Amino acid sequence: MTTSGYGGLAGKAPNPQLNAQGKLQHLLDIEGLSHSQINEILDVTASFIDINDQSVKKVGDLKGKTVANLFFEASTRTRTTFELAAKRLSADVLNINVSTSSTTKGESLLDMIKNLQAMQCDMFVVRHGDSGAAHFLAQHVAPHVSIVNAGDGQHAHPTQALLDMFTIRKHKGDFCRLTVAIVGDILHSRVARSDIHALNILRTGEIRVVAPRSLMPPAVEALGVKAFYDMDRGIRDADVVIMLRLQKERMQGAFLPSEQEYFHLYGLTRARLQLARRDAIVMHPGPANRGVEIESQVADGPQSVILEQVTTGIAVRMAVMSMVMKNRQAKSGTDA
Ligand code: CP
């Protein structure tokens, strides 16, 4: 498992997340998915949104299946919405407490997974600090087991990108006519990377990334985006503004002079938001640092869809888990 910079994982096989029929068996990355595959996931998500609005929020798609959540990095939204999604699909759910697991005694990630697989787990939802962790596991689990990437290092956060795309599609419709600005710590953000891939695949009119030079990946425009170092220019006439937090846990050394100066130059304030289109939506994957990248009145304001993103996360994760389970290989002697 190695990080190969912002461009992706070195040496990964083409579409390791697809089965022999080209269907999603794991969800590892947005890169490599087609326009129709993303739209199919968003369409299935819409059906689960309806289920989540009912008084009884339960369907049987994963009845009899076991889902294990393994989070080696902190999480509030992703971990809990994956758990809720699995339970609403009627799965049995194991939330592994990594800090009290035998990884603290030196057991490797792969050995841990193989032992859980021996307990007949059908799916692993994995967040890990190493870029490529989910790809690595997908290459080593049994054919009837699915891996879902809940964030790997600086590489990818595919379900976040899918819930972001669902939210944009719902509010704004056709991506071709949209200008989407992603603002903040682009360099360290797996969300930015997955969002950029998804927006490109969905043929977004203009994708902008806005950051100080120290937080902009080198050669970022090769990803099909326009780079802006001035916030006011970067969000002018945008339809969608996606704010990102400063990922200080991934910064070694001084990337910024101070949080106050960062907020002055790149914080989304009510005054600055007026530069975007009047009906622009404001998004943030969370956790948000109020007063650092976003003003409270904007985070809680009428253009914010931040909490709606969280709600949508449940339906997106239900859609992904339901789809990968249908597409995995049958376990010998059983149904799929
Ligand atoms: N958006 C997101 O990944 O949030 P958590 O780190 O709380 O899961």
Side-chain angles (χ1 to χ4, degrees), residues 171-321:
H171 284 272
K172 297 290 169 191
D174 188 1
F175 283 82
C176 303
R177 287 197 289 264
L178 299 182
T179 297
V180 178
I182 308 174
V183 183
D185 184 357
I186 309 293
L187 180 66
H188 299 104
S189 175
R190 57 193 174 206
V191 175
R193 190 172 178 285
S194 288
D195 275 351
I196 289 167
H197 281 304
L199 289 165
N200 270 316
I201 294 164
L202 294 172
R203 303 169 197 142
T204 303
E206 185 169 310
I207 309 166
R208 302 177 184 170
V209 288
V210 186
R213 286 183 191 278
S214 57
L215 295 177
M216 192 72 88
V220 70
E221 293 197 335
L223 295 175
V225 301
K226 285 189 183 171
F228 289 79
Y229 302 98
D230 179 87
M231 170 79 163
D232 291 358
R233 287 185 55 229
I235 66 167
R236 192 176 296 280
D237 297 326
D239 300 283
V240 178
V241 181
I242 302 175
M243 299 303 298
L244 302 173
R245 78 181 172 92
L246 296 175
Q247 302 210 10
K248 285 188 232 157
E249 72 276 20
R250 300 196 199 283
M251 295 183 194
Q252 288 153 356
F255 279 81
L256 297 165
S258 73
E259 287 183 356
Q260 277 172 318
E261 188 168 350
Y262 182 81
F263 183 68
H264 175 65
L265 293 172
Y266 292 96
L268 187 61
T269 59
R270 283 162 294 173
R272 207 167 245 151
L273 183 56
Q274 288 184 4
L275 296 169
R277 291 179 65 90
R278 281 171 65 88
D279 61 352
I281 56 170
V282 175
M283 300 173 64
H284 195 309
N289 288 317
R290 293 164 183 257
V292 179
E293 73 270 5
I294 191 165
E295 190 179 57
S296 270
Q297 290 88 341
V298 175
D300 302 328
Q303 289 168 265
S304 169
V305 294
I306 295 171
L307 291 179
E308 186 187 321
Q309 287 173 266
V310 177
T311 307
T312 301
I314 303 171
V316 160
R317 287 162 181 138
M318 288 174 82
V320 166
M321 288 197 278

Side-chain angles (χ1 to χ4, degrees), residues 71 74-79 127 150 157 160 190-191 245 285-287 317:
F71 280 68
S75 171
T76 297
R77 282 146 288 270
T78 312
R79 194 190 64 71
R127 172 171 286 192
H157 195 347
Q160 180 68 47
R190 57 193 174 206
V191 175
R245 78 181 172 92
R317 287 162 181 138

Side-chain angles (χ1 to χ4, degrees), residues 50-89:
D50 294 341
I51 287 161
N52 281 303
D53 282 340
Q54 292 171 8
S55 57
V56 178
K57 302 170 179 54
K58 202 118 177 160
V59 289
D61 296 40
L62 294 193
K63 195 159 194 277
K65 305 293 184 245
T66 304
V67 176
N69 288 324
L70 288 109
F71 280 68
F72 291 84
E73 286 187 333
S75 171
T76 297
R77 282 146 288 270
T78 312
R79 194 190 64 71
T80 49
T81 54
F82 264 115
E83 181 179 349
L84 277 174
K87 286 178 171 169
R88 289 181 186 178
L89 292 167

